[in-house]
Amino acid sequence: MRTAAVTEEQQEIRRTLRELLAKRAGPAETRAAVTTTEGYDTALWAALAGALGLPGLALPERYGGVGCGPAELALACEETGRVLAPSPLLATSVLAAPLIAALGTGRQRAELLPRIADGTLTCALALPGGSLPLALGLSGDNAAEPWAGDGRSGGVQATRPDGAAWVLYGEAGHVLDGHSAGLLVVAAHTGGFPRSRTLLFLVRADATGLLRRRLPTLDVTRSQALVELRDVEAELLGEEPADTLGALAATGRTAAVMLAAEAVGAARGALDRTVEHATTRQQFGRPIGSFQAIRHRLADLLVQIESARSLTVCAAQEEQGVSGALALAQALEAQRAAAAETVQLHGGLGITWEHDAQLYFKRAAADELLFGPAHRLRARAAECEGLFGDGAGAGRGSAAGVAPGASGEVA
């Protein structure tokens, strides 16, 4: 499988971003950033928005974005993943912004997307049920399998008691950057149980009745929150009828590529640190990296990571039928292998709290819990391609559906 050539523009994005992160997102800076109220370095986020236009990298120029495509955004995710830089990039630019661009009214797009592009507005996608990969159509058919409650209880309920304003009641857990986002995109049930359907709503951070609590997490570099809504007034995203499930699945296909790129970057970052350690750690009067067994393990790991990178690049370029879910499955496994080897080859040093190895190990474990497991991602990709026989591709409709106007607004 060939890897698409990297353009000069992409090389410049990588170089600029890597230089900035090397100065502002080292191990000490990362550990300090995760202890802040926001869970990330707001000054670094502003610098990324100013120097590269990172939040709006894939947004259209008419909304203040850079106008690049998935390949450039994936490259940026790979670089931020390489240093485990905590930022609102995933929650805002990968998950929320495409939904606003796809489903939002003209007024909503004009009001929100420029603020997202310049980094002044961060967003979070609140999906009740705690199943992000299922809601995004990555691990199953989001139209056929329950992920947002059963329509009578659980999840978030949306009603219009006065016939005008929508009101939300319920809660969503494990919301990425949900405690600090300036805007929440909330999935909620409407219409009562017999005609229950899922729509997306916009909730401002200062809305009355909104309670948000940052949760303790395995991976401290990826903040999560519990979001509680107690009769909170909300604005419908877009207009009815809306293909909410199709828009979520379309967003999921792109998000899978970005998550895969981020995982590949984290795997390569772990490998680079392990190689550096192997060349300096002395045993029996020679570097441990000179031993054949260590060389073979590191070489095998490099092959696994580069294979995942090739799949991710092809998925971003939509080449050779490679799906984002397939690339993500490969990347998660490469990240897990890299994290495990990093801990083991560092010996006792690798399990200490003070060393960076534990951060990579926790990122790998947390990513599988949030976005995997890998075998479910592969199974869904095979199902969508019709590899399970007659009727196996029945879920393709929701996975391939795009809300009206989506293709024209996200490109």
Side-chain angles (χ1 to χ4, degrees):
M1 178 179 295
R2 69 182 181 87
T3 299
V6 178
T7 66
E8 291 186 7
E9 182 181 24
Q10 292 170 349
Q11 290 176 341
E12 182 63 19
I13 291 174
R14 184 187 295 276
R15 183 191 64 80
T16 305
L17 184 54
R18 184 170 294 190
E19 289 179 355
L20 181 58
L21 292 174
K23 296 177 182 177
R24 304 283 296 273
E29 290 81 3
T30 295
R31 290 173 183 267
V34 298
T35 63
T36 63
T37 302
E38 295 81 5
Y40 62 92
D41 184 350
T42 55
L44 174 60
W45 179 245
L48 292 172
L52 285 173
L54 192 62
L57 197 61
L59 288 176
E61 294 183 31
R62 62 180 174 277
Y63 294 123
V66 180
C68 294
E72 288 75 19
L73 185 56
L75 187 150
C77 289
E78 182 180 343
E79 288 302 314
T80 57
R82 184 171 170 270
V83 295
L84 301 182
S87 79
L89 181 64
L90 175 60
T92 299
S93 302
V94 176
L95 295 177
L99 291 170
I100 295 173
L103 295 175
T105 63
R107 178 190 62 79
Q108 288 171 337
R109 293 171 185 158
E111 176 187 349
L112 300 175
L113 293 181
R115 296 173 57 201
I116 291 175
D118 65 18
T120 58
L121 177 65
T122 59
C123 306
L125 177 60
L127 299 174
S131 182
L132 185 62
L134 178 56
L136 295 178
L138 298 177
S139 61
D141 183 356
N142 64 4
E145 301 183 45
W147 56 268
D150 63 5
R152 285 180 288 189
S153 62
V156 178
Q157 307 297 316
T159 59
R160 303 181 73 176
D162 58 1
W166 286 98
V167 175
L168 306 185
Y169 191 94
E171 67 178 36
H174 305 289
V175 179
L176 299 177
D177 291 329
H179 70 290
S180 61
L183 179 71
L184 297 176
V185 180
V186 182
H189 280 291
T190 66
F193 179 68
R195 298 182 296 107
S196 180
R197 63 196 187 282
T198 302
L199 295 175
L200 296 178
F201 296 86
L202 302 176
V203 176
R204 313 287 173 170
D206 58 354
T208 303
L210 175 63
L211 303 175
R212 304 186 291 175
R213 176 167 57 89
R214 187 177 179 182
L215 300 173
T217 56
L218 176 64
D219 177 15
V220 295
T221 65
R222 203 187 290 285
S223 299
Q224 300 176 43
L226 173 66
V227 175
E228 299 179 70
L229 304 111
R230 300 293 181 257
D231 294 329
V232 176
E233 286 196 10
E235 177 185 355
L236 178 66
L237 177 60
E239 299 174 345
E240 293 194 76
D243 184 11
T244 302
L245 299 181
L248 283 169
T251 297
R253 292 197 302 275
T254 302
V257 178
M258 306 311 149
L259 289 167
E262 192 181 63
V264 165
R268 189 54 195 259
L271 176 61
D272 291 343
R273 282 160 174 76
T274 306
V275 169
E276 180 182 3
H277 175 76
T279 58
T280 56
R281 175 72 168 91
Q282 296 283 326
Q283 189 71 33
F284 304 112
R286 55 191 289 195
I288 62 173
S290 65
F291 295 109
Q292 189 177 49
I294 301 297
R295 288 181 177 182
H296 285 175
R297 290 169 67 172
L298 293 176
D300 288 345
L301 190 57
L302 178 61
V303 171
Q304 188 173 1
I305 294 172
E306 289 305 311
S307 174
R309 174 181 280 119
S310 294
L311 279 174
T312 302
V313 171
C314 287
Q317 299 284 357
E318 297 183 347
E319 291 189 351
Q320 304 183 27
V322 177
S323 73
L326 185 61
L328 178 56
Q330 187 81 358
L332 289 177
E333 290 183 341
Q335 182 179 218
R336 185 205 315 148
E341 290 285 21
T342 296
V343 171
Q344 191 168 42
L345 294 180
H346 276 82
L349 183 64
I351 62 173
T352 61
W353 182 260
E354 292 77 16
H355 199 274
D356 294 339
Q358 54 96 9
L359 295 177
Y360 286 94
F361 187 84
K362 291 176 179 178
R363 167 62 69 89
D367 275 4
E368 285 225 63
L369 292 172
L370 276 172
F371 311 119
H375 72 271
R376 289 291 302 276
L377 297 171
R378 285 197 176 96
R380 177 57 179 166
E383 182 184 5
C384 288
E385 292 300 322
L387 300 183
F388 290 159
D390 294 340
R396 180 187 294 271
S398 66
V402 182
S407 59
E409 297 299 335
V410 181

